[in-house]
Amino acid sequence: MKQGLDPIEPQSRPESIEALNLRLAELMHRHNELFDRLRADQQHFARLARSVWRVQEDERRRLARELHDGIGQNLAALIHQIRAAVRAVPAQAETALTALSALNQAQELAQATLEDTRALSRLLRPQILDDLGLEPALRWLVRTLSAAPGLHIRIDVDPLPLDLNADVATLIFRIAQESLGNVVKHAQATLATLALHCDGERLILSISDDGRGCDPAAAFAVSARSESTGLGGMRDRARLFGGEFVLKSGPGAGCTITLRLPLIPT
Ligand SMILES: Nc1ncnc2c1ncn2[C@@H]1O[C@H](COP(=O)(O)OP(=O)(O)OP(=O)(O)O)[C@@H](O)[C@H]1O
Ligand SMILES: [Mg+2]
């Protein structure tokens, strides 16, 4: 009933609304402050995580060079010396046969170790990525993995910007390496395709296969349980660079991963 209303209400209402507005404005201000601080912290952690990742890649590059140029060169020199020793042993001498056989075995062992060392060096960080750039590195990766029996890999790469950010190039290469590794390891596919397109602002990498497929939620759950670093690691790294990583698949329907990445990390 109107007559029953508190007579002071009409006077107090403008005051309390004003107070509420002030309180609301203050809350909004604090909310915005907290939001800005949160965003700044997030950007700070993303920058920090990107530099940790960059340090890791630098270390891999250093180790790869050390393996290739240091241990690799020494092994090549050792093989050369063993060959010289083999030639120096008089082939007719009866007693030399044992020495020759031992030297040949040593040469084979040194050769196999040299090949393993070079393969490990390329796995750590292929020199082609630093020397010739992303596209030749992806073509090399596809050539190497196409050697797996029964698997054909197609590649389709758009012309890439000449000043492509080095971290972005490394990230694309690592995700292609990890995803094609998954195809070889898990898919039982006969055909896979790597496509890299550039729309002027973003790079879009997609890798698809016609293999046995998987349940994406279960596959990411494997990653989350730390049983693997693959899919979860790729998604986290994509986010660090302002990109997104999506896996589409279903049992028997093959797998497609798509990475959308800004040309300039955000
Ligand atoms: N192309 C694919 N075809 C079929 N299954 C796949 C494919 N890619 C991933 N998976 C499934 O997703 C799971 C998780 O993949 P992820 O790369 O995270 O781990 P992993 O390859 O098992 O281990 P890691 O990458 O650490 O060596 C795999 O175990 C596999 O079951
Ligand atoms: Mg994997």
Side-chain angles (χ1 to χ4, degrees):
M1 272 171 54
K2 276 188 175 169
Q3 289 92 328
L5 289 174
D6 189 338
I8 60 164
E9 203 185 58
Q11 286 154 7
S12 68
R13 192 186 284 159
E15 265 180 26
S16 66
I17 287 177
E18 205 173 293
L20 270 175
N21 277 341
L22 273 173
R23 181 96 187 108
L24 199 62
E26 192 194 326
L27 279 172
M28 289 288 283
H29 180 68
R30 283 181 56 191
H31 171 270
N32 287 342
E33 264 184 1
L34 280 173
F35 191 72
D36 286 348
R37 205 184 306 163
L38 193 67
R39 201 165 40 197
D41 282 352
Q42 267 178 349
Q43 283 170 348
H44 176 69
F45 282 119
R47 267 200 304 274
L48 213 63
R50 288 206 296 255
S51 55
V52 169
W53 179 74
R54 201 174 297 127
V55 167
Q56 189 191 25
E57 281 294 330
D58 287 347
E59 190 62 8
R60 282 168 157 248
R61 187 185 290 115
R62 198 183 65 74
L63 279 173
R65 289 240 159 95
E66 188 60 32
L67 272 176
H68 188 271
D69 300 345
I71 301 177
Q73 296 297 352
N74 285 349
L75 280 168
L78 183 67
I79 292 167
H80 188 71
Q81 281 177 3
I82 297 174
R83 278 201 196 117
V86 168
R87 279 196 300 274
V89 175
Q92 287 78 14
E94 197 58 30
T95 48
L97 284 180
T98 324
L100 267 180
S101 152
L103 281 172
N104 280 328
Q105 278 178 23
Q107 188 186 324
E108 274 167 30
L109 184 64
Q111 189 65 46
T113 314
L114 177 62
E115 273 150 33
D116 286 352
T117 306
R118 285 182 177 156
L120 186 58
S121 163
R122 281 193 291 267
L123 194 70
L124 272 169
R125 171 106 192 167
Q127 215 165 321
I128 192 169
L129 182 57
D130 294 315
D131 294 351
L132 301 181
L134 180 59
E135 187 188 337
L138 289 174
R139 291 193 186 280
W140 165 81
L141 180 68
V142 163
R143 256 196 329 276
T144 312
L145 294 174
S146 289
L151 175 65
H152 177 66
I153 309 176
R154 280 202 298 240
I155 177 162
D156 172 20
V157 180
D158 277 356
L160 298 173
L162 290 174
D163 59 349
L164 184 64
N165 179 287
D167 289 342
V168 168
T170 299
L171 182 59
I172 297 271
F173 181 81
R174 289 294 181 210
I175 290 188
Q177 190 177 32
E178 181 73 45
S179 299
L180 284 175
N182 274 351
V183 174
V184 171
K185 203 158 96 178
H186 305 294
Q188 296 162 8
T190 54
L191 181 66
T193 306
L194 180 158
L196 180 60
H197 297 302
C198 182
D199 68 7
E201 285 181 8
R202 289 179 315 170
L203 288 167
I204 300 127
L205 171 74
S206 91
I207 292 172
S208 54
D209 68 69
D210 65 353
R212 66 187 179 91
C214 64
D215 170 9
F220 274 108
V222 171
S223 259
R225 286 199 301 270
S226 304
E227 287 168 27
S228 83
T229 50
L231 290 170
M234 289 191 268
R235 188 171 55 183
D236 290 347
R237 272 175 285 165
R239 282 184 186 155
L240 267 185
F241 282 78
E244 61 163 354
F245 176 88
V246 179
L247 165 67
K248 283 205 178 121
S249 182
C255 272
T256 299
I257 67 99
T258 308
L259 167 73
R260 291 187 183 81
L261 201 63
L263 278 168
I264 297 158
T266 54

